[in-house]
Amino acid sequence: METELSRTLGIEHAIFGFTPFPAVAAALTRAGGLGVLGAVRYTAPDDLARDLDWMQEHTDGLPYGLDVVMPAKKVEGVTEAEVEAMIPEEHRAFVRATLAKHGVPGLPEGEASGWRITGWMEQVARGQLDVAFDYPIKLLANALGSPPPDVVARAHDHGVLVAALAGSARHARRHAEGGIDIVVAQGYEAGGHTGEIASMVLTPEVVDAVSPLPVLAAGGIGSGEQIAAGLALGAQGVWLGSVWLTTTEAELHSRALTAKLLAAGSGDTVRSRALTGKPARQLRTEWTDAWDDPAGPGPLPMPLQGLLVAEAVSRIQRHEVEPLLGTPVGQIVGRMNSERSVQQVVDDLTRGFEKAVDRVNRIAGRSTS
């Protein structure tokens, strides 16, 4: 699965894998793809440096990348406490009532919320970059579009390619105008924040819109046959995220959540604002149903919703309250029905890719010898 882009980056397979787990990212890099570590949960620079040190020790000198979240718009001079003060009491009461309905215990004394939306704030992302550029990362991706021009220039000064996710051809063209090197065409089927255009439609639209920039196909991809389809549509690789959640290297720390993922079908996800305030595809749970119920107050805009639910999400995860327990994941969850190592996933992807290419060659009357 080599393309011009994979050769440029020095990777064997044009498989780019986004993951919050260093062990998964490192394993994908060792398996011949490009592991991309999600930085959003690192609010302390020392924590990111620790895990990048670990990545250095476990990637055998092979390339890897980093994914940050830098919103297109920022609010100057506003602290997290000032933002949190904007949350209406009605919404706080709704969170308390929902947790009480399901008997969710509080966090143990002295244990802070394990997830905060602060990783979405630009000043935090810039601190992450101050750390990251001390390491030989080969790719910098931004999950919320094009990073600011000075960040793109800084990455290029370090010899780092910059990728940005796009949910439409219009967004993709804007990224190209901003000096981005790679556009990730993320379809409706994808986990996390995603738009409303399906991958089969979006990928060729984006390829045409930004040619000759390389495009990665994303959203609903979890088999080698789907990778072949993405490349046939003009992409130079694929961007996979959800499929790594049920790998043996993933650090979900919740057998209940892993079990839910393994049991879920492709129709068991929903695009909901319940987690961050922006539409994000995730497992459908009684938590998402509560927030999407017209009888409730409805989610707040980003970043207020994330700040509002941070402690609640930590409590749900800490106590594994099954009806409320969920995670961002794409529709490909319907194929994620067994735990495998990252290497086994990559092996399955390459085998499926070869079968798909052979099948097309036979249809076209070409020899597969």
Side-chain angles (χ1 to χ4, degrees):
M1 283 188 283
E2 284 191 357
T3 65
E4 183 180 349
L5 178 59
S6 69
R7 288 190 288 271
T8 296
L9 286 163
I11 58 177
E12 182 180 0
H13 307 302
I15 300 172
F16 296 71
F18 163 78
T19 174
F21 308 124
V24 174
L28 176 56
T29 284
R30 293 195 306 272
L34 189 99
V36 182
L37 179 64
V40 69
R41 65 191 179 98
Y42 296 100
T43 56
D46 288 348
D47 291 341
L48 178 58
R50 178 202 63 219
D51 281 358
L52 289 177
D53 284 338
W54 188 93
M55 290 281 293
Q56 279 293 104
E57 295 171 5
H58 293 83
T59 48
D60 300 336
L62 298 168
Y64 60 90
L66 191 75
D67 179 279
V68 297
V69 177
M70 302 189 79
K73 298 179 181 179
K74 64 177 179 178
V75 179
E76 298 282 2
V78 178
T79 67
E80 179 184 342
E82 290 170 330
V83 173
E84 196 158 5
M86 302 176 188
I87 297 172
E89 176 55 32
E90 175 191 15
H91 286 75
R92 296 185 187 277
F94 181 76
V95 170
R96 291 194 296 268
T98 304
L99 296 176
K101 176 182 176 182
H102 292 273
V104 182
L107 294 174
E109 187 174 351
E111 182 175 320
S113 168
W115 178 82
R116 296 289 287 175
I117 200 68
T118 47
W120 300 85
M121 302 176 108
E122 182 177 332
Q123 62 268 33
V124 176
R126 286 185 177 275
Q128 293 164 349
L129 294 178
D130 289 340
V131 172
F133 287 132
D134 287 336
Y135 294 82
I137 62 171
K138 297 300 182 184
L139 178 71
L140 174 67
N142 187 39
L144 289 182
S146 302
D150 67 296
V151 171
V152 176
R154 187 178 176 191
H156 289 165
D157 288 344
H158 284 81
V160 177
L161 296 181
V162 180
L165 275 65
S168 71
R170 176 172 56 86
H171 292 156
R173 281 190 288 268
R174 195 158 57 212
H175 297 341
E177 292 165 0
I180 296 301
D181 304 294
I182 302 166
V183 176
V184 181
Q186 181 170 272
Y188 171 84
E189 307 95 324
H193 296 120
T194 186
E196 298 182 352
I197 304 174
S199 299
M200 185 64 74
V201 174
L202 180 66
T203 301
E205 285 187 353
V206 171
V207 168
D208 290 343
V210 301
S211 178
L213 284 184
V215 172
L216 300 178
I221 299 174
S223 73
E225 291 84 352
Q226 290 169 312
I227 293 176
L231 299 189
L233 293 172
Q236 287 200 34
V238 292
W239 177 271
L240 309 182
S242 297
V243 72
W244 314 114
L245 289 173
T246 52
T247 57
T248 54
E249 292 90 345
E251 303 161 27
L252 285 180
H253 302 304
S254 171
R255 294 307 303 172
L257 180 54
T258 298
K260 289 188 76 169
L261 289 168
L262 295 174
S266 56
D268 291 329
T269 69
V270 63
R271 284 174 76 241
S272 171
R273 299 176 184 268
L275 186 60
T276 68
K278 289 175 67 70
R281 185 172 297 284
Q282 55 202 282
L283 278 181
R284 181 175 180 178
T285 66
E286 293 189 29
W287 177 257
T288 61
D289 286 350
W291 282 104
D292 294 339
D293 188 339
L300 295 167
M302 179 186 279
L304 298 181
Q305 181 70 11
L307 287 169
L308 170 66
V309 305
E311 182 182 340
V313 170
S314 291
R315 288 168 59 183
I316 292 166
Q317 293 174 344
R318 175 72 166 75
H319 299 288
E320 297 192 331
V321 183
E322 197 276 340
L324 304 179
L325 191 61
T327 185
V329 69
Q331 292 180 331
I332 196 62
V333 71
R335 293 182 64 103
M336 295 159 48
N337 49 25
S338 66
E339 291 186 79
R340 298 170 290 166
S341 69
V342 170
Q343 182 66 64
Q344 287 173 319
V345 171
V346 172
D347 289 344
D348 287 346
L349 293 174
T350 56
R351 280 194 293 266
F353 177 82
E354 290 169 355
K355 288 180 181 178
V357 171
D358 287 346
R359 186 182 304 122
V360 172
N361 280 332
R362 287 195 298 273
I363 292 170
R366 300 188 181 98
S367 171
T368 60
S369 59

